[in-house]
Amino acid sequence: MKAKLTRGQQWVYELLNSTSTEITAQEIFAQLQNQGRSLGLATVYRAIKALQLRGLVQARSLTNGEWVYRLASEDCHYLTCLNCGRSVPVEECPAHGLQRKLEEKQHFTVFYHTLEFFGLCEPCGETLDAETV
């Protein structure tokens, strides 16, 4: 049986559950403060890590090095522009078969996976092309 969530973990989980987008730990901290929930930033990071280890929260690194978090309810796939940093979700997943094989062969429990392609979005590509002319 899994241990019960701490108060801080519960608050972070509830906040992520009510948020439809990925958010940073600093944003989680600020929103909890706005709700009158006193929780230090270090405790927010510890709560996120504990929730990740339970397979409840997933993380993704942005091109600026910052991490964003969301509930691990579904796999995420993105096209991410290296110039402007915008990420566009990709709906189809070519990795589900591989995930099942790895779980079976390696005896590894996968909570979620991410797949991200990096390049230039159309507006940034056009801007860079125009600058090189």
Side-chain angles (χ1 to χ4, degrees):
M1 184 170 138
K2 291 187 178 181
K4 192 174 170 184
L5 296 179
T6 66
R7 181 183 62 185
Q9 292 167 4
Q10 186 65 40
W11 288 350
V12 170
Y13 181 82
E14 288 170 1
L15 179 66
L16 289 171
N17 193 39
S18 69
T19 305
S20 61
T21 60
E22 302 167 316
I23 59 174
T24 66
Q26 292 82 5
E27 291 169 328
I28 292 170
F29 171 74
Q31 288 186 29
L32 289 174
Q33 294 297 307
N34 289 340
Q35 294 174 0
R37 295 182 170 185
S38 180
L39 202 63
L41 183 57
T43 305
V44 168
Y45 277 106
R46 284 192 299 274
I48 290 168
K49 182 65 174 177
L51 293 169
Q52 283 181 289
L53 291 174
R54 291 174 174 230
L56 299 173
V57 169
Q58 63 190 61
R60 184 169 71 93
S61 177
L62 302 178
T63 56
N64 65 4
E66 193 166 29
W67 287 86
V68 289
Y69 305 93
R70 64 183 287 172
L71 289 187
S73 58
E74 58 188 44
D75 298 324
C76 299
H77 312 93
Y78 299 94
L79 297 173
T80 298
C81 180
L82 292 169
N83 188 52
C84 69
R86 186 174 73 111
S87 290
V88 178
V90 175
E91 298 302 320
E92 54 188 89
C93 176
H96 283 296
L98 174 61
Q99 178 179 320
R100 284 189 292 278
K101 286 179 187 176
L102 290 172
E103 286 178 325
E104 189 175 298
K105 185 175 182 179
Q106 300 296 325
H107 305 286
F108 189 87
T109 302
V110 176
F111 294 138
Y112 66 89
H113 68 264
T114 60
L115 178 62
E116 195 158 9
F117 297 93
F118 296 91
L120 294 175
C121 65
E122 187 174 0
C124 288
E126 289 173 358
T127 301
L128 291 176
D129 286 344
E131 291 174 358
T132 58
V133 175

